[in-house]
Amino acid sequence: MAVDPRRTALGLGRFGLGARPGDLAREEPVEEALRREILAGTVPLPGGPDLAPAPTLLAALQAEEQGRKLARAGSPDAPMPEGPPAPPIQESVYRAEVAARLALAQAAPLGFVERLIWFWANHFTVSVARGPRLRVSAGAFEREAIRPHVLGRFRDLLLVAATHPAMLIYLDNVASVGPNSPAGQRKGPGPGKGLNENLGRELLELHTLGADGGYTQGDVTALARILTGWSLQRDGNAEGLPGTTTFRRGAHEPGAVTLLGRTYLDVGPAQLRMALDDLAVHPATARHVALRLARHFVADDPPPALVARLARTFLDQDGDLSRLALALIEAPEAWDPVQRKIRSPQEFLTAAMRGLSLAPDPRMVMSALAALGQPYWSAPAPNGYPDEAAAWASPEGLHARLDLAARTGQLAAGTDPAAFADAVLGPLATDETRTAIRRAESRAQAIALVLMAPEFQRR
């Protein structure tokens, strides 16, 4: 099969993390390369000494906070500092998580699996904006819940995401107690002492059925009842470190629960597993997931035929996410030659670093993404970062991109701008962009112009 260089450039931007020097010269059709990446089933895992399991990080944070309380109280039991004060653990862990994610993005040959990880991490959003416990565990959530299941079954991803310590903290399920449970009866009435519906609501509205999925407020309450008892270890014991997910029977609402017309008996932890298994294969879940996936990769208003094809694959393949990814790249609608999606700030910055072969500096990237409005794991609400162009193409957002493009051009001033355009855009580069490169006053300015070109900003 003859290789279409324009299709290669389009595919690497739309489904991958952007072309690196030499990528557009590949002799294999880009569809086959993307397909091979999925069929290989290899999901890269971040590494590093600071990337511990979430319970370990939460226990370390708890110990650090307790030590500071003792120090403020002047207790003789407070740990004595050795050398200069270390940064708070939530900051050092967050930087290490960012550095590990950047390294994987830079090294990815294509980045299709990595893009899928980003998509699902945003679908099941947890945000560091909720405080130190999320700042140490949000990256671990992606490592432990998303990456191991990104090419597996949706039902497995759903269960692990819903019960991960970071999700239980983020959506306040750690504070949810069944009103009629032994713990609820001891607490008595009062604010913050009973059922919390946050996780139940978002599981239905965002993670499975979607806002138009046909559920009622009664279903939200029912799922919240099923979720009671899913919490964290408060103190270390034989069952695990503080912060380990646990099912606290004494806080679980007793009795059978009816959700979406189906009754789930009170059989302990299995009650939640059965409920989530049914939600995972619901037709509304298939439609919701298909729409979000198509909107993320193809168009803000994706073709209905594409959404229908993806939803059917989701149902026919029992939520097999690798088959869903293959259905996406095999769909003719996904290869529309018009670049309809604007790159998010994270995608834009990653594509620029890959195209210019710049070693990512975590501090610089964190600062840049904060200016662009998309820091890692920091979405302002449980529905995650938006996928629509309007969120990123505002005058303020484009001005921030222009500033970043100018600074990046200075960092890469030794790069030949015309060669850079050929390497990352190839046939997608327009005559206007090539003319602007020739007329630029400096190499740095020319590189900035390539980065701000519509064919680079879009995918």
Side-chain angles (χ1 to χ4, degrees), residues 194-430:
L195 192 67
N196 188 297
E197 296 184 349
N198 288 354
L199 181 54
R201 179 178 298 105
E202 307 309 356
L203 278 168
L204 293 174
E205 179 180 340
L206 302 177
H207 303 157
T208 58
L209 306 180
D212 58 351
Y215 64 90
T216 67
Q217 174 56 39
D219 293 314
V220 172
T221 302
L223 186 52
R225 289 175 60 192
I226 292 173
L227 284 159
T228 53
W230 285 91
S231 187
L232 305 182
Q233 292 283 357
R234 294 191 179 92
D235 300 298
N237 57 31
E239 297 180 8
L241 292 166
T244 301
T245 295
T246 188
F247 179 76
R248 294 166 52 210
R249 181 72 198 186
H252 181 67
E253 180 70 3
V257 177
T258 299
L259 170 68
L260 295 170
R262 179 167 294 186
T263 299
Y264 298 90
L265 299 179
D266 182 6
V267 288
Q271 186 183 43
L272 176 63
R273 295 188 181 97
M274 290 187 293
L276 293 185
D277 279 354
D278 287 340
L279 286 171
V281 297
H282 196 286
T285 297
R287 290 192 298 271
H288 180 60
V289 167
L291 176 61
R292 291 199 67 170
L293 189 71
R295 179 176 292 148
H296 176 78
F297 281 97
V298 178
D300 290 358
D301 186 16
L306 173 61
V307 176
R309 182 180 288 108
L310 294 176
R312 175 49 54 195
T313 298
F314 185 95
L315 292 173
D316 289 347
Q317 300 297 326
D318 193 27
D320 185 330
L321 299 181
S322 63
R323 293 300 311 172
L324 188 65
L326 291 174
L328 174 67
I329 60 172
E330 290 167 0
E333 301 91 344
W335 292 91
D336 184 346
V338 179
Q339 295 172 290
R340 301 188 184 278
K341 294 292 299 182
I342 188 168
R343 278 178 161 142
S344 72
Q346 292 178 12
E347 293 166 1
F348 166 57
L349 187 55
T350 299
M353 291 188 298
R354 283 169 61 90
L356 291 165
S357 300
L358 293 175
D361 179 333
R363 291 179 184 271
M364 186 226 42
V365 170
M366 288 163 59
S367 174
L369 289 178
L372 293 171
Q374 200 188 24
Y376 286 122
W377 310 296
S378 302
N383 58 348
Y385 284 119
D387 259 327
E388 293 83 357
W392 308 122
S394 66
E396 297 82 5
L398 293 176
H399 187 269
R401 289 187 188 224
L402 183 59
D403 287 344
L404 177 61
R407 294 198 303 272
T408 305
Q410 293 290 340
L411 290 174
T415 300
D416 178 78
F420 172 53
D422 287 337
V424 298
L425 297 174
L428 297 179
T430 64

Side-chain angles (χ1 to χ4, degrees), residues 58 61 65 89-90 128-138:
L58 289 165
L61 174 66
E65 291 175 339
I89 185 173
Q90 64 261 33
V128 304
R130 287 295 305 273
R133 290 195 296 172
L134 269 301
R135 203 160 180 86
V136 300
S137 61

Side-chain angles (χ1 to χ4, degrees), residues 7 15 30-32 34-36 38 112 310 324-332 334-335:
R7 195 172 175 90
F15 303 108
V30 68
E31 301 98 311
E32 290 303 313
L34 294 166
R35 180 181 176 84
R36 187 161 43 80
I38 296 299
F112 188 24
L310 294 176
L324 188 65
L326 291 174
L328 174 67
I329 60 172
E330 290 167 0
W335 292 91

Side-chain angles (χ1 to χ4, degrees), residues 408-453:
T408 305
Q410 293 290 340
L411 290 174
T415 300
D416 178 78
F420 172 53
D422 287 337
V424 298
L425 297 174
L428 297 179
T430 64
D431 292 341
E432 291 81 1
T433 296
R434 295 192 181 279
T435 298
I437 292 172
R438 290 194 298 270
R439 293 177 177 175
E441 297 178 358
S442 66
R443 283 190 166 193
Q445 184 187 64
I447 289 170
L449 289 170
V450 175
L451 294 176
M452 291 304 296

